[in-house]
Amino acid sequence: DAKTTQPPSMDCAEGRAANLPCNHSTISGNEYVYWYRQIHSQGPQYIIHGLKNNETNEMASLIITEDRKSSTLILPHATLRDTAVYYCIVRVGSGYALNFGKGTSLLVTP
Amino acid sequence: DAGVIQSPRHEVTEMGQEVTLRCKPISGHNSLFWYRQTMMRGLELLIYFNNNVPIDDSGMPEDRFSAKMPNASFSTLKIQPSEPRDSAVYFCASTLDRSRTDTQYFGPGTRLTVL
């Protein structure tokens, strides 16, 4: 699976959009981009995934660049409960393992 | 839906003792995963079951660790004998393995402390 690079930490004001970047320059054509998050003392939680097209669900939006070498997870209106570690994971569709890196620690402040 | 259920939530034991962690996957899911999380190594996959059969156990640290899935609704991870370096949070996750892009749903974890 392709390696991902994320900033170790980010801050965001409550109510503002949180934009979390992920670099996956070695991604191959059959690899999906997944985002999970882990709130303190809880298990990881699935957020969203995509292959080529931008995706949106009730939690977030995923923007994937045309060359697929990077992506951005957008939380449109961050709340204090969105404070968590966010993991960007690249995985082949036929694979099963989720290789969690160090992720980005997002702090949402009042 | 109750989600993935793990027990116990916390376990404190002494070095050399046997420890058994339990997991009940989401009903209808056919794949189950055991992960371990430590500060040093982050989240790492230990073993993966599909239709109750172990498919990949390459992440199991050593022979002291064993995992079973006797039926679709129950799995155990056993450590015997336990050592202080086994202290970690152990997560169980399940998924319905249709297209392999299905998401994994994680349980709340078991925090294990080996003294």
mmCIF file of all heavy atoms in Angstrom, chain A residues 32-49:
data_model
loop_
_atom_site.group_PDB
_atom_site.id
_atom_site.type_symbol
_atom_site.label_atom_id
_atom_site.label_comp_id
_atom_site.label_asym_id
_atom_site.label_seq_id
_atom_site.Cartn_x
_atom_site.Cartn_y
_atom_site.Cartn_z
ATOM 1 N N TYR A 32 -7.589 3.007 -3.001
ATOM 2 C CA TYR A 32 -8.563 3.953 -2.495
ATOM 3 C C TYR A 32 -7.931 4.804 -1.390
ATOM 4 O O TYR A 32 -7.010 4.373 -0.695
ATOM 5 C CB TYR A 32 -9.763 3.215 -1.911
ATOM 6 C CG TYR A 32 -10.654 2.551 -2.923
ATOM 7 C CD1 TYR A 32 -10.266 1.390 -3.580
ATOM 8 C CD2 TYR A 32 -11.906 3.082 -3.221
ATOM 9 C CE1 TYR A 32 -11.085 0.784 -4.510
ATOM 10 C CE2 TYR A 32 -12.744 2.471 -4.143
ATOM 11 C CZ TYR A 32 -12.320 1.329 -4.784
ATOM 12 O OH TYR A 32 -13.148 0.729 -5.696
ATOM 13 N N VAL A 33 -8.492 5.976 -1.190
ATOM 14 C CA VAL A 33 -8.113 6.837 -0.067
ATOM 15 C C VAL A 33 -9.209 6.738 0.988
ATOM 16 O O VAL A 33 -10.379 7.004 0.708
ATOM 17 C CB VAL A 33 -7.942 8.301 -0.497
ATOM 18 C CG1 VAL A 33 -7.542 9.161 0.716
ATOM 19 C CG2 VAL A 33 -6.899 8.418 -1.604
ATOM 20 N N TYR A 34 -8.833 6.335 2.183
ATOM 21 C CA TYR A 34 -9.753 6.220 3.317
ATOM 22 C C TYR A 34 -9.372 7.237 4.389
ATOM 23 O O TYR A 34 -8.199 7.542 4.586
ATOM 24 C CB TYR A 34 -9.650 4.834 3.966
ATOM 25 C CG TYR A 34 -10.332 3.719 3.233
ATOM 26 C CD1 TYR A 34 -9.750 3.144 2.123
ATOM 27 C CD2 TYR A 34 -11.558 3.234 3.671
ATOM 28 C CE1 TYR A 34 -10.379 2.110 1.442
ATOM 29 C CE2 TYR A 34 -12.196 2.203 3.002
ATOM 30 C CZ TYR A 34 -11.600 1.647 1.899
ATOM 31 O OH TYR A 34 -12.223 0.631 1.223
ATOM 32 N N TRP A 35 -10.385 7.713 5.079
ATOM 33 C CA TRP A 35 -10.159 8.544 6.257
ATOM 34 C C TRP A 35 -10.890 7.926 7.445
ATOM 35 O O TRP A 35 -12.089 7.608 7.353
ATOM 36 C CB TRP A 35 -10.631 9.972 6.039
ATOM 37 C CG TRP A 35 -9.698 10.790 5.187
ATOM 38 C CD1 TRP A 35 -9.653 10.839 3.824
ATOM 39 C CD2 TRP A 35 -8.681 11.672 5.653
ATOM 40 N NE1 TRP A 35 -8.671 11.705 3.410
ATOM 41 C CE2 TRP A 35 -8.061 12.231 4.506
ATOM 42 C CE3 TRP A 35 -8.232 12.068 6.925
ATOM 43 C CZ2 TRP A 35 -7.019 13.156 4.601
ATOM 44 C CZ3 TRP A 35 -7.197 12.986 7.013
ATOM 45 C CH2 TRP A 35 -6.600 13.510 5.855
ATOM 46 N N TYR A 36 -10.161 7.774 8.530
ATOM 47 C CA TYR A 36 -10.713 7.353 9.806
ATOM 48 C C TYR A 36 -10.301 8.406 10.834
ATOM 49 O O TYR A 36 -9.340 9.141 10.641
ATOM 50 C CB TYR A 36 -10.140 5.994 10.250
ATOM 51 C CG TYR A 36 -10.790 4.793 9.638
ATOM 52 C CD1 TYR A 36 -10.557 4.454 8.301
ATOM 53 C CD2 TYR A 36 -11.629 3.972 10.383
ATOM 54 C CE1 TYR A 36 -11.160 3.346 7.732
ATOM 55 C CE2 TYR A 36 -12.237 2.853 9.826
ATOM 56 C CZ TYR A 36 -11.991 2.554 8.507
ATOM 57 O OH TYR A 36 -12.587 1.443 7.949
ATOM 58 N N ARG A 37 -11.017 8.424 11.951
ATOM 59 C CA ARG A 37 -10.587 9.264 13.057
ATOM 60 C C ARG A 37 -10.703 8.487 14.364
ATOM 61 O O ARG A 37 -11.463 7.525 14.459
ATOM 62 C CB ARG A 37 -11.399 10.555 13.131
ATOM 63 C CG ARG A 37 -12.834 10.389 13.654
ATOM 64 C CD ARG A 37 -13.530 11.739 13.710
ATOM 65 N NE ARG A 37 -14.888 11.641 14.246
ATOM 66 C CZ ARG A 37 -15.715 12.667 14.326
ATOM 67 N NH1 ARG A 37 -15.332 13.878 13.923
ATOM 68 N NH2 ARG A 37 -16.928 12.501 14.811
ATOM 69 N N GLN A 38 -9.947 8.926 15.341
ATOM 70 C CA GLN A 38 -9.975 8.287 16.648
ATOM 71 C C GLN A 38 -10.073 9.358 17.712
ATOM 72 O O GLN A 38 -9.126 10.131 17.925
ATOM 73 C CB GLN A 38 -8.730 7.422 16.865
ATOM 74 C CG GLN A 38 -8.805 6.604 18.140
ATOM 75 C CD GLN A 38 -7.655 5.627 18.273
ATOM 76 O OE1 GLN A 38 -6.596 5.800 17.674
ATOM 77 N NE2 GLN A 38 -7.854 4.584 19.065
ATOM 78 N N ILE A 39 -11.226 9.402 18.318
ATOM 79 C CA ILE A 39 -11.437 10.287 19.451
ATOM 80 C C ILE A 39 -10.814 9.631 20.674
ATOM 81 O O ILE A 39 -10.815 8.409 20.799
ATOM 82 C CB ILE A 39 -12.943 10.557 19.649
ATOM 83 C CG1 ILE A 39 -13.485 11.307 18.423
ATOM 84 C CG2 ILE A 39 -13.218 11.334 20.918
ATOM 85 C CD1 ILE A 39 -14.995 11.421 18.373
ATOM 86 N N HIS A 40 -10.301 10.459 21.559
ATOM 87 C CA HIS A 40 -9.562 9.953 22.713
ATOM 88 C C HIS A 40 -10.303 8.834 23.439
ATOM 89 O O HIS A 40 -11.487 8.959 23.751
ATOM 90 C CB HIS A 40 -9.285 11.106 23.680
ATOM 91 C CG HIS A 40 -8.474 10.686 24.870
ATOM 92 N ND1 HIS A 40 -7.198 10.176 24.760
ATOM 93 C CD2 HIS A 40 -8.768 10.674 26.188
ATOM 94 C CE1 HIS A 40 -6.738 9.895 25.960
ATOM 95 N NE2 HIS A 40 -7.667 10.199 26.845
ATOM 96 N N SER A 41 -9.565 7.725 23.649
ATOM 97 C CA SER A 41 -10.071 6.577 24.400
ATOM 98 C C SER A 41 -11.192 5.823 23.699
ATOM 99 O O SER A 41 -11.893 5.032 24.330
ATOM 100 C CB SER A 41 -10.562 6.988 25.799
ATOM 101 O OG SER A 41 -9.502 7.495 26.557
ATOM 102 N N GLN A 42 -11.354 6.056 22.404
ATOM 103 C CA GLN A 42 -12.344 5.307 21.643
ATOM 104 C C GLN A 42 -11.673 4.555 20.499
ATOM 105 O O GLN A 42 -10.511 4.796 20.167
ATOM 106 C CB GLN A 42 -13.414 6.241 21.077
ATOM 107 C CG GLN A 42 -14.230 6.967 22.136
ATOM 108 C CD GLN A 42 -15.330 7.813 21.524
ATOM 109 O OE1 GLN A 42 -15.725 7.607 20.375
ATOM 110 N NE2 GLN A 42 -15.814 8.776 22.280
ATOM 111 N N GLY A 43 -12.419 3.638 19.887
ATOM 112 C CA GLY A 43 -11.917 2.943 18.713
ATOM 113 C C GLY A 43 -11.975 3.835 17.488
ATOM 114 O O GLY A 43 -12.757 4.784 17.436
ATOM 115 N N PRO A 44 -11.153 3.555 16.495
ATOM 116 C CA PRO A 44 -11.206 4.333 15.252
ATOM 117 C C PRO A 44 -12.594 4.295 14.625
ATOM 118 O O PRO A 44 -13.307 3.296 14.727
ATOM 119 C CB PRO A 44 -10.172 3.647 14.355
ATOM 120 C CG PRO A 44 -9.221 3.000 15.309
ATOM 121 C CD PRO A 44 -10.083 2.564 16.458
ATOM 122 N N GLN A 45 -12.949 5.389 13.961
ATOM 123 C CA GLN A 45 -14.262 5.530 13.354
ATOM 124 C C GLN A 45 -14.098 5.880 11.882
ATOM 125 O O GLN A 45 -13.354 6.815 11.539
ATOM 126 C CB GLN A 45 -15.048 6.638 14.079
ATOM 127 C CG GLN A 45 -16.406 6.948 13.488
ATOM 128 C CD GLN A 45 -17.018 8.201 14.105
ATOM 129 O OE1 GLN A 45 -16.323 9.079 14.602
ATOM 130 N NE2 GLN A 45 -18.338 8.291 14.067
ATOM 131 N N TYR A 46 -14.784 5.169 11.027
ATOM 132 C CA TYR A 46 -14.744 5.448 9.589
ATOM 133 C C TYR A 46 -15.386 6.794 9.304
ATOM 134 O O TYR A 46 -16.417 7.147 9.896
ATOM 135 C CB TYR A 46 -15.491 4.357 8.828
ATOM 136 C CG TYR A 46 -15.813 4.685 7.385
ATOM 137 C CD1 TYR A 46 -14.852 4.545 6.393
ATOM 138 C CD2 TYR A 46 -17.077 5.145 7.026
ATOM 139 C CE1 TYR A 46 -15.155 4.840 5.070
ATOM 140 C CE2 TYR A 46 -17.380 5.440 5.705
ATOM 141 C CZ TYR A 46 -16.412 5.288 4.738
ATOM 142 O OH TYR A 46 -16.711 5.586 3.435
ATOM 143 N N ILE A 47 -14.767 7.562 8.395
ATOM 144 C CA ILE A 47 -15.358 8.836 7.989
ATOM 145 C C ILE A 47 -15.831 8.777 6.544
ATOM 146 O O ILE A 47 -17.004 8.995 6.242
ATOM 147 C CB ILE A 47 -14.349 9.995 8.138
ATOM 148 C CG1 ILE A 47 -13.871 10.103 9.584
ATOM 149 C CG2 ILE A 47 -14.988 11.313 7.692
ATOM 150 C CD1 ILE A 47 -12.755 11.126 9.777
ATOM 151 N N ILE A 48 -14.919 8.472 5.634
ATOM 152 C CA ILE A 48 -15.243 8.569 4.210
ATOM 153 C C ILE A 48 -14.141 7.895 3.406
ATOM 154 O O ILE A 48 -13.036 7.689 3.920
ATOM 155 C CB ILE A 48 -15.393 10.057 3.804
ATOM 156 C CG1 ILE A 48 -16.150 10.229 2.492
ATOM 157 C CG2 ILE A 48 -14.032 10.744 3.748
ATOM 158 C CD1 ILE A 48 -16.572 11.673 2.237
ATOM 159 N N HIS A 49 -14.430 7.492 2.182
ATOM 160 C CA HIS A 49 -13.386 7.006 1.296
ATOM 161 C C HIS A 49 -13.726 7.344 -0.151
ATOM 162 O O HIS A 49 -14.884 7.631 -0.478
ATOM 163 C CB HIS A 49 -13.144 5.500 1.479
ATOM 164 C CG HIS A 49 -14.171 4.608 0.850
ATOM 165 N ND1 HIS A 49 -15.380 4.321 1.450
ATOM 166 C CD2 HIS A 49 -14.160 3.939 -0.320
ATOM 167 C CE1 HIS A 49 -16.068 3.511 0.681
ATOM 168 N NE2 HIS A 49 -15.361 3.250 -0.408
#
